[in-house]
Amino acid sequence: MAELSFNVDHGYLEGLVRGMKAGILTHTDYHNLAQCDTLEDMKLHLQSTSYGKLLSSSEGDLTVSLVDSKLRESLLTEFSCLRSNALPPLSAFLDYITYSYMIDNVVMLITGALKQRDVAELLPRCHPLGAFDQMAAVGIARTPTELYSAILVDTPLAQFFQDAVSESNLDEMEAEILRNKLYKAYLESFHSFCKSIGGATKDIMCPVLEFEADRRAFIITVNSFGTDLSGADRSELYPSCGKLYPEGLRLLAKAEDHEQVKAVANCYPEYKLIFDDPEPGSDFKTLEDRFFEREVKLNTLAFLQQFHFGVFYSYIKLKEQESRNIVWIAECVTQRQKSKINNYIPIFPGTS
Amino acid sequence: MSSLLRGEEMCLAQLFLQSGSAYDCINELGELGLVEFRDLNPSVNAFQRKHVNEIKKCEEMERILGYLLREVKKADISLPERDVNPGAPLPKHVMAIMEQLQRLEVELGEVTRNKEKLQRNLLELTEYTHMLRITRNFVQRTAEREPLQVQYEEFPFLEKDTMMDYSSMQRLGAKLGFISGLIQRTKIEAFERMLWRVCKGYTILSYAEVEEYLDSPDTGEPTKSVVFLISYWGDQIGQKVKKICDCYHCHLYPYPSSNEERNDVVEGLKTRIQDLHTVLYRTEDYLRQVLIKASESVYTWVIQVKKMKAIYYILNLCSFDVTNKCLIAEVWCPVNDIPTLRRALEEGSRKSGATVPSFVNRIPTNDTPPTLIRTNKFTSGFQSIVDAYGVGSYREVNPAPFTIITFPFLFAVMFGDLGHGVIMALFAFWMVLYENNRKLKKTRNEIWNTFFEGRYIILMMGLFSIYTGLIYNDCFSKSLNIFGSGWSVKAMFTAGVWKMEGIHGNNFLTLDPNVTGVFTGPYPLGIDPIWNLASNRLTFLNSYKMKMSVILGIVHMSFGVVLSTYNHMHFRKKYNVYLVFLPELLFLLCLFGYLVFMILYKWLVFSAKDSRQAPSILIHFINMFLMQGDAVQPLYPGQNGLQVFLVVIAVLSVPVLLLGKPLYLYWLHNGRHRLGMYRGYERVRRNSEEELYLLRAHDMEEGSSHSDLSSSGECQTEEFDFADELLHQAIHTIEYCLGCVSNTASYLRLWALSLAHAQLSEVLWAMVMRVGLKMDTTLGVLFLVPVFGLFAVLTVSILLVMEGLSAFLHALRLHWVEFQNKFYSGMGVKFCPFAFSLLPSSAEHEGLL
């Protein structure tokens, strides 16, 4: 029944986002971009895409970081257009999307502050999607409790802090743990929010978020090898909304090396593919890239159905991946690493 | 005329441009707009082409020009309107322009930056004065020991406290500090809360709103802000407070410690603000001067850069010949224009002082050339009506010349009203008279432009409406009695049919044309005005208009079928004349042509005297198909035999139409091998193919890469597929035969729309104008003024605009569907020549010029 009245409130935005999706770079665009010799060439080619004059209005020389910030800016413009037109359930959904960027920003600011960096220097590096008023004051806090009670209590992130509060001093390790705890709370909350919306949104978003949760669990496990993070500590960081919950997570907590992680993944067909050894002859891809590929695939699936919020999430994520791709190509172009230029992750590989 | 009927003959030509003079040659061609260039390097990326650097330079200049134009517009300086058409700059002059532009940009940028800095400074100082003014109140209030206000309740109390504790705090080594500044009003709450949380109450915040809207120095937008004063103890807390202030983007200003200091600062600020005002004024003046200087030549630059960019774009389409040091371009060009093209190339070579001339070479091709139909301002409107359906295939019969008459005519049949036609024609005539007026031409109103582009169509439609209005004898739904009616009421009395007493009792009286003297003869032009009084007027007009629309429709369609012979003959497909055209025409004429004949026959043969015996054409037409005419009286002797004959012919023409062409083609295809009839022809073809091959080889030697493009079209051999052909013909046959019926019915819209228009205008007259005319007191004259106003507005908006648009739409449909599908395929590609005048510059695109 929700489908019947969906268009009353959200039809315009869904149409808008589907229209914007048509502007996502195609296979031919990537092919042409990969042939560029300088950033100027890339600018010339991007002019013929939906990015238009995004890069050409800038004065002075192009740098990769400039490209990156411009791309972020355009993503922010699109997102804020969507956000400012959104009505209740969708607006909360869109806010949920920004929370993940907020978490990253907070953690980045904390680690920056620990390294005695100036806040003014850190702020431009924050993701604009996750910007909030109290951001600059994050550096004041010394412990997570102080961080929570003084600064973040007014922000939407406060709800994720219930479990993350601890009295220990913030160091880099602690910041990383804080990030993962926040993420765990965030993913679980987002998952239950999508579940409460129900309908197609639930059908689309839950698999995406479950994948996201599992990916975090795997990544945490793999990264924890060689650190003093114990299995029990690890299991506290695993988001519990994924497909791995509960058996897989228990096994992961026990895992001691890469082979054991692989053994866990083998029990789940969708993750088995990711951990499979690459066939000889095909080019090697990192674990991260394969996860990204899988994420892109899941996100593109969201566009197959109508009347749900998943398209908004997927669009933002795909656009983010596209920015990563463009920046990757731009890096390769400036550093003359032509051999690695094709390691971007194609979105909509079928379309040409 | 021949070019309007068929379009220009086009040819593919190769231009050999000496690399030194290529730029000038293409410049000449761009000014003339003669040729359409083909892309000879379609496989090359945009950024791998030869002149990509020059194009980038042009884009850079466009960017600067856009910046200049925006600044000029912001400063409200009008651009000098000029009709100059500066040529493309020579490549050696480009650097000078570029330098000039860059210098201007730097200068402008510096001045604007300065101005912005000064403005920012000024705003900050204003904020500071406001802050000082307001914070003084905080302090003064305590000094004067005024009754405490609720809002600042804790402040004086704590202030007192601090005074008391100040010495003790000093003893403890802590320092009392003040931080004051401004913050946006929306943020103050969160700010206060955070301050409290972080500093755990070791601070005192007092704030007051600034009454006026202050321009924020960061954004320049007027915002409501709040002045605040924080007092705190200790450096540690001070650091935190400062950080929090930073994070809320507060504007902090030093807080003077004593009253004297405060007064000094205020005085100082006053003078500084005054100084800033004068400096700002000077800067703005200077900025304006720079912009005025720039605005003088900016228009010329925009045109020049546009042309230069276009030329390099075209040069990128050419292939470069390494050995001969010349560029090769392939162009479509009208055959008649080749001498002009040669002259233009000579001119270009002469201008650049090249020793070797550039030249043109016609090359044979199998590609279908683009369609060029030259139009003038009168025909262009009608041509665009046709083009909107589909651009004509190359050298196909163009319906536009016939549309010039038939379109306004069919429109007028639906719109027939003398008065409305006059208004429409006058409006169009006004547009035609002032067509050179810049204001009318350059407007950005899209709806207006549509009308303006179609002014000649509207003029013709208006004139034809006047004509049909005269025929219908309708002028704002009233009839004009110009020549005197042919009917006489008096004769009824003299003949003694009507008596005085009978008239009073009867609401309706019937005029009998059979009584001598009542009907003296037809009205000389159109419908007799006496019908305006008749109660059976509608019945009479309906029968007349319905028959008229069927006649017009069948004539129109037959004309379309006849036009198809022009195509068959021109494309050397004589068999189509016998196998397609003839059966089509027979089918149409035998069935519906006969219907027209019956209508005319009935009109001519039956008069008022024997009107009782007049037959129903509908019954006769139905009987014709059922082949049973015994039940009714025949119209003329031998009617049954003729009708059977016609139906048989029509039915027989269907299989001919269905099978004739495919079978003939099949026989032609298979028979050619067996009978060897066409061997001579084949040999000729082979020769020409050999020539082509040689030519291609020659091109390859020259190292040009375009041959792969031109060869792709040449290699197509004619594949014959009988089933395919049969299927096509079957579809065509079904469409045509069914179409004859449905299209004839479709022409009845002429009747329906004209009926609707007449009735609507009559309703308007009866409901609005007659109400006003009925009042016969002197007040009625005054009442008539608003009534006429309403009548006029409704006439124009409903009857002229709305009805006009609907009649236009239906006329359009009758042309596109009913008329053009009889002969017009419309599968062509429009010829778009490379001409500077047709290119919009980037500045126009952004709406800056």
Side-chain angles (χ1 to χ4, degrees):
Chain A
M1 284 309 282
E3 280 83 358
L4 269 183
S5 56
F6 183 88
N7 275 349
V8 177
D9 287 343
H10 317 299
Y12 166 63
L13 286 182
E14 195 192 349
L16 206 63
V17 88
R18 279 177 189 276
M20 293 203 271
K21 175 217 157 200
I24 285 179
L25 297 186
T26 60
H27 188 68
T28 10
D29 288 326
Y30 281 120
H31 183 73
N32 282 334
L33 279 179
Q35 286 184 348
C36 294
D37 290 326
T38 60
L39 285 183
E40 286 293 317
D41 291 348
M42 286 186 70
K43 176 177 113 181
L44 201 68
H45 181 77
L46 284 178
Q47 266 179 19
S48 63
T49 67
S50 63
Y51 285 107
K53 301 228 158 181
L54 181 72
L55 294 174
S56 61
S57 55
S58 60
E59 294 162 38
D61 289 337
L62 271 177
T63 56
V64 179
S65 61
L66 187 71
V67 172
D68 191 23
S69 62
K70 285 274 176 192
L71 291 174
R72 279 181 181 187
E73 237 171 67
S74 85
L75 182 60
L76 178 68
T77 331
E78 285 174 353
F79 182 82
S80 47
C81 165
L82 293 175
R83 176 64 188 85
S84 50
N85 284 307
L87 285 166
L90 178 58
S91 55
F93 182 88
L94 290 179
D95 283 339
Y96 260 108
I97 297 179
T98 62
Y99 296 161
S100 70
Y101 298 98
M102 280 190 193
I103 294 172
D104 283 340
N105 283 349
V106 166
V107 173
M108 197 190 80
L109 286 169
I110 292 172
T111 38
L114 288 173
K115 287 177 183 161
Q116 308 295 325
R117 293 277 182 81
D118 196 16
V119 178
E121 181 194 337
L122 292 169
L123 281 181
R125 284 168 54 195
C126 289
H127 201 289
L129 267 184
F132 55 99
D133 273 345
Q134 294 88 342
M135 213 159 70
V138 165
I140 300 172
R142 299 238 143 50
T143 63
T145 325
E146 201 184 355
L147 184 68
Y148 169 69
S149 60
I151 293 147
L152 297 178
V153 72
D154 287 335
T155 64
L157 287 185
Q159 49 176 317
F160 309 130
F161 259 90
Q162 260 100 15
D163 305 327
V165 178
S166 71
E167 275 303 327
S168 55
N169 263 344
L170 276 176
D171 53 25
E172 255 177 79
M173 182 78 174
E174 199 63 33
E176 209 45 48
I177 290 175
L178 179 71
R179 182 212 299 273
N180 285 318
K181 277 184 178 167
L182 285 177
Y183 245 107
K184 172 182 153 72
Y186 159 71
L187 279 177
E188 282 163 8
S189 158
F190 198 6
H191 190 260
S192 63
F193 174 72
C194 290
K195 242 184 190 162
S196 71
I197 291 177
T201 305
K202 182 183 138 196
D203 297 346
I204 297 290
M205 279 309 293
C206 285
V208 174
L209 291 174
E210 279 158 16
F211 167 76
E212 182 71 26
D214 293 341
R215 172 167 77 167
R216 291 207 74 84
F218 279 121
I219 297 280
I220 289 168
T221 317
V222 171
N223 285 347
S224 73
F225 297 147
T227 63
D228 49 0
L229 203 65
S230 70
D233 289 344
R234 251 172 15 210
S235 65
E236 271 178 35
L237 303 180
Y238 295 150
S240 64
C241 55
K243 289 201 179 77
L244 291 178
Y245 181 78
E247 280 79 22
L249 290 181
R250 218 175 48 232
L251 290 173
L252 269 186
K254 283 182 198 150
E256 296 286 324
D257 54 26
H258 196 273
E259 281 307 311
Q260 285 175 349
V261 176
K262 210 172 142 183
V264 177
N266 275 344
C267 306
Y268 298 86
E270 56 267 65
Y271 303 123
K272 185 172 184 286
L273 283 175
I274 290 170
F275 278 87
D276 262 349
D277 284 321
E279 296 159 32
S282 67
D283 36 323
F284 176 75
K285 282 177 182 152
T286 59
L287 192 62
E288 202 182 6
D289 277 355
R290 287 199 228 169
F291 271 120
F292 275 139
E293 254 175 32
R294 174 90 187 139
E295 186 192 359
V296 164
K297 202 183 240 169
L298 279 176
N299 280 327
T300 47
L301 289 181
F303 285 93
L304 296 182
Q305 273 198 56
Q306 231 184 329
F307 307 131
H308 65 95
F309 296 156
V311 282
F312 297 97
Y313 180 86
S314 299
Y315 176 72
I316 298 293
K317 291 288 161 190
L318 289 180
K319 205 70 183 165
E320 209 195 350
Q321 184 59 46
E322 183 177 295
S323 306
R324 273 199 292 267
N325 287 344
I326 293 175
V327 170
W328 170 262
I329 293 174
E331 283 284 1
C332 288
V333 164
T334 44
Q335 295 175 11
R336 313 236 158 255
Q337 298 272 340
K338 277 278 177 185
S339 54
K340 289 185 184 162
I341 206 162
N342 284 320
N343 283 3
Y344 58 86
I345 291 145
I347 305 163
F348 302 122
T351 53
S352 57
Chain B
M1 184 59 200
S2 74
S3 85
L4 191 58
L5 183 67
R6 286 211 180 279
E8 287 278 321
E9 199 180 330
M10 308 291 286
C11 65
L12 189 65
Q14 236 175 357
L15 305 183
F16 292 89
L17 306 166
Q18 306 310 311
S19 48
S21 62
Y23 185 89
D24 291 278
C25 289
I26 292 193
N27 183 17
E28 285 294 318
L29 294 180
E31 296 287 354
L32 291 171
L34 286 177
V35 294
E36 179 180 344
F37 284 84
R38 300 215 305 184
D39 192 356
L40 295 183
N41 340 299
S43 55
V44 185
N45 269 330
F47 49 83
Q48 285 169 340
R49 302 209 171 191
K50 192 163 180 327
H51 296 282
V52 67
N53 284 327
E54 282 88 347
I55 288 182
K56 268 185 203 160
K57 216 181 275 170
C58 291
E59 268 168 7
E60 172 70 10
M61 286 200 265
E62 271 178 357
R63 187 187 62 75
I64 299 177
L65 282 171
Y67 170 66
L68 278 182
L69 280 171
R70 264 190 295 277
E71 289 296 322
V72 166
K73 215 168 190 188
K74 221 197 278 173
D76 218 13
I77 299 168
S78 62
L79 286 176
E81 280 280 350
R82 274 179 302 174
D83 281 324
V84 286
N85 190 12
L90 293 175
K92 55 190 171 195
H93 294 159
V94 172
M95 281 319 286
I97 296 179
M98 185 84 179
E99 255 169 44
Q100 237 170 330
L101 278 175
Q102 273 167 345
R103 216 174 40 235
L104 257 176
E105 191 199 10
V106 169
E107 200 173 346
L108 258 184
E110 229 162 69
V111 177
T112 343
R113 252 196 312 281
N114 268 343
K115 192 183 134 193
E116 269 163 18
K117 225 193 285 167
L118 287 172
Q119 240 155 6
R120 197 187 150 85
N121 227 327
L122 183 65
L123 290 175
E124 277 175 359
L125 291 181
T126 334
E127 278 192 346
Y128 196 9
T129 41
H130 277 285
M131 192 208 84
L132 286 178
R133 186 171 51 77
I134 291 168
T135 46
R136 186 168 53 205
N137 295 347
F138 295 164
V139 184
Q140 264 173 1
R141 210 173 289 132
T142 44
E144 290 160 14
R145 290 181 189 280
E146 276 174 350
L148 305 178
Q149 281 186 8
V150 184
Q151 195 186 349
Y152 303 113
E153 198 171 359
E154 68 275 84
F155 180 74
F157 170 70
L158 285 170
E159 184 83 339
K160 246 192 300 182
D161 236 26
T162 57
M163 287 314 212
M164 253 172 25
D165 275 9
Y166 192 52
S167 49
S168 59
M169 290 296 284
Q170 251 179 345
R171 241 183 292 133
L172 288 171
K175 233 175 85 191
L176 178 65
F178 293 102
I179 289 180
S180 58
L182 281 95
I183 187 171
Q184 279 178 20
R185 195 178 62 177
T186 45
K187 286 184 178 169
I188 183 76
E189 262 181 53
F191 178 62
E192 192 181 5
R193 233 176 314 163
M194 186 176 231
L195 209 58
W196 189 83
R197 280 206 196 97
V198 172
C199 307
K200 313 227 165 52
Y202 287 105
T203 53
I204 298 150
L205 172 72
S206 46
Y207 55 87
E209 207 170 291
V210 184
E211 295 82 14
E212 304 99 82
Y213 281 91
L214 295 178
D215 290 350
S216 154
D218 302 326
T219 55
E221 283 165 13
T223 41
K224 262 292 200 194
S225 28
V226 166
V227 170
F228 64 87
L229 176 68
I230 306 168
S231 1
Y232 60 89
W233 291 278
D235 277 336
Q236 285 271 318
I237 299 216
Q239 291 293 328
K240 280 191 183 173
V241 170
K242 276 208 183 94
K243 265 190 187 167
I244 294 171
C245 288
D246 277 349
C247 113
Y248 278 93
H249 304 287
C250 306
H251 305 135
L252 299 180
Y253 300 102
Y255 181 73
S257 49
S258 68
N259 256 340
E260 294 83 59
E261 198 185 329
R262 180 196 306 275
N263 289 340
D264 284 352
V265 172
V266 170
E267 281 304 308
L269 281 179
K270 251 185 205 159
T271 47
R272 273 178 69 193
I273 287 179
Q274 262 171 2
D275 287 353
L276 269 180
H277 269 299
T278 32
V279 176
L280 204 58
Y281 176 73
R282 290 266 166 77
T283 320
E284 268 168 8
D285 204 45
Y286 179 66
L287 181 69
R288 204 175 161 77
Q289 271 170 6
V290 172
L291 283 177
I292 286 175
K293 211 176 78 197
S295 72
E296 277 164 11
S297 35
V298 77
Y299 181 75
T300 321
W301 284 333
V302 167
I303 301 284
Q304 280 182 326
V305 169
K306 175 186 95 174
K307 287 187 176 176
M308 191 163 64
K309 191 177 168 190
I311 290 172
Y312 282 121
Y313 190 74
I314 291 296
L315 283 176
N316 269 344
L317 299 180
C318 306
S319 65
F320 197 68
D321 189 339
V322 186
T323 48
N324 283 358
K325 298 246 177 206
C326 74
L327 281 169
I328 300 173
E330 272 187 16
V331 295
W332 290 113
C333 175
V335 174
N336 292 341
D337 278 342
I338 284 198
T340 332
L341 176 63
R342 279 209 178 98
R343 234 172 298 133
L345 287 184
E346 276 166 23
E347 180 71 17
S349 311
R350 194 182 55 74
K351 267 189 192 163
S352 61
T355 44
V356 196
S358 304
F359 56 95
V360 191
N361 194 8
R362 265 182 82 160
I363 49 173
T365 176
N366 276 353
D367 287 0
T368 320
T371 311
L372 168 67
I373 293 162
R374 291 188 204 270
T375 54
N376 53 30
K377 60 185 178 183
F378 179 71
T379 52
S380 68
F382 296 97
Q383 185 64 53
S384 59
I385 285 181
V386 172
D387 283 351
Y389 173 79
V391 175
S393 308
Y394 178 61
R395 302 289 283 160
E396 159 176 62
V397 167
N398 177 23
F402 314 108
T403 307
I404 293 174
I405 296 302
T406 55
F407 187 84
F409 179 69
L410 288 188
F411 172 85
V413 168
M414 293 181 267
F415 196 73
D417 190 300
L418 177 63
H420 299 158
V422 167
I423 295 175
M424 187 179 265
L426 283 180
F427 170 63
F429 191 62
W430 169 74
M431 281 197 288
V432 169
L433 271 186
Y434 290 95
E435 65 184 357
N436 290 327
N437 192 331
R438 285 187 78 93
K439 227 168 136 190
L440 292 182
K441 233 190 223 170
K442 288 197 93 180
T443 171
R444 287 191 184 280
N445 187 338
E446 224 170 283
I447 296 174
W448 168 256
N449 276 344
T450 315
F451 281 109
F452 189 70
E453 290 300 313
R455 58 192 181 278
Y456 285 99
I457 303 177
I458 298 176
L459 181 65
M460 293 297 278
M461 293 192 309
L463 293 177
F464 274 87
S465 300
I466 294 175
Y467 167 70
T468 50
L470 280 174
I471 296 292
Y472 294 158
N473 213 341
D474 258 346
C475 178
F476 298 115
S477 83
K478 298 282 110 183
S479 294
L480 298 176
N481 193 358
I482 305 171
F483 303 104
S485 172
W487 295 72
S488 164
V489 180
K490 201 176 149 200
M492 288 299 280
F493 285 102
T494 46
V497 182
W498 289 358
K499 302 278 184 300
M500 267 327 252
E501 54 269 27
I503 289 175
H504 289 298
N506 259 342
N507 274 335
F508 295 100
L509 294 166
T510 313
L511 285 169
D512 187 355
N514 291 327
V515 177
T516 41
V518 172
F519 182 60
T520 50
Y523 192 67
L525 183 68
I527 308 284
D528 198 302
I530 200 160
W531 284 103
N532 208 29
L533 303 171
S535 62
N536 61 344
R537 177 183 188 224
L538 214 54
T539 327
F540 168 71
L541 283 181
N542 275 351
S543 143
Y544 160 71
K545 283 181 178 172
M546 178 171 68
K547 285 167 183 165
M548 179 194 66
S549 9
V550 169
I551 294 171
L552 288 178
I554 286 161
V555 169
H556 199 209
M557 285 193 295
S558 324
F559 179 56
V561 175
V562 170
L563 276 182
S564 68
T565 53
Y566 281 79
N567 279 340
H568 300 325
M569 300 302 266
H570 183 264
F571 293 119
R572 304 264 154 74
K573 287 178 179 164
K574 216 169 178 186
Y575 56 87
N576 269 347
V577 176
Y578 302 113
L579 298 174
V580 177
F581 164 68
L582 263 187
E584 275 182 0
L585 195 68
L586 281 177
F587 185 81
L588 183 65
L589 288 185
C590 287
L591 299 182
F592 298 99
Y594 179 67
L595 179 66
V596 172
F597 163 76
M598 280 202 291
I599 292 171
L600 291 176
Y601 181 83
K602 185 182 165 186
W603 274 347
L604 292 175
V605 169
F606 295 92
S607 68
K609 287 200 179 58
D610 45 4
S611 64
R612 302 242 171 251
Q613 286 92 52
S616 161
I617 292 176
L618 191 64
I619 301 294
H620 278 272
F621 197 55
I622 291 171
N623 282 342
M624 172 177 166
F625 287 103
L626 300 178
M627 299 213 186
Q628 39 173 255
D630 313 324
V632 288
Q633 182 88 27
L635 286 169
Y636 51 90
Q639 186 196 7
N640 275 338
L642 182 65
Q643 282 182 348
V644 169
F645 174 69
L646 287 178
V647 169
V648 166
I649 291 214
V651 169
L652 280 183
S653 62
V654 174
V656 176
L657 182 60
L658 176 65
L659 300 171
K661 189 180 165 191
L663 285 180
Y664 177 74
L665 284 178
Y666 182 71
W667 174 77
L668 204 65
H669 187 73
N670 283 7
R672 195 161 68 185
H673 296 301
R674 236 187 350 261
L675 299 173
M677 267 174 66
Y678 286 84
R679 197 162 290 151
Y681 171 68
E682 207 173 23
R683 193 172 295 141
V684 172
R685 265 195 69 108
R686 193 169 293 156
N687 275 346
S688 68
E689 259 167 25
E690 267 164 24
E691 257 176 38
L692 276 179
Y693 177 74
L694 277 178
L695 209 122
R696 223 178 300 143
H698 181 63
D699 282 345
M700 302 255 256
E701 277 168 33
E702 284 178 345
S704 67
S705 62
H706 73 279
S707 51
D708 56 341
L709 183 95
S710 47
S711 65
S712 62
E714 286 160 16
C715 289
Q716 284 170 356
T717 49
E718 273 184 48
E719 287 280 329
F720 179 75
D721 185 358
F722 179 69
D724 219 33
E725 193 64 39
L726 190 66
L727 200 67
H728 275 293
Q729 194 60 27
I731 291 170
H732 178 75
T733 308
I734 294 168
E735 199 183 305
Y736 182 81
C737 295
L738 294 182
C740 275
V741 182
S742 65
N743 290 354
T744 310
S746 184
Y747 273 97
L748 289 178
R749 74 185 66 231
L750 292 176
W751 160 44
L753 270 267
S754 104
L755 176 73
H757 186 79
Q759 287 302 300
L760 209 61
S761 61
E762 198 170 317
V763 164
L764 194 67
W765 181 274
M767 306 283 272
V768 180
M769 206 56 187
R770 195 180 288 164
V771 175
L773 289 171
K774 261 184 186 163
M775 307 239 324
D776 45 3
T777 54
T778 36
L779 268 179
V781 179
L782 290 178
F783 184 61
L784 207 54
V785 174
V787 166
F788 179 75
L790 186 66
F791 175 74
V793 167
L794 288 179
T795 300
V796 170
S797 62
I798 295 181
L799 290 178
L800 276 164
V801 177
M802 266 175 59
E803 277 280 290
L805 283 176
S806 89
F808 185 93
L809 195 77
H810 284 281
L812 206 60
R813 186 223 140 94
L814 286 180
H815 276 86
W816 282 352
V817 180
E818 273 76 29
F819 177 55
Q820 288 183 8
N821 78 354
K822 301 285 183 291
F823 66 98
Y824 187 63
S825 64
M827 305 278 275
V829 182
K830 207 165 185 159
F831 174 72
C832 28
F834 167 63
F836 292 138
S837 53
L838 298 178
L839 293 169
S841 71
S842 67
E844 278 164 19
H845 192 68
E846 286 166 32
L848 291 170
L849 257 179

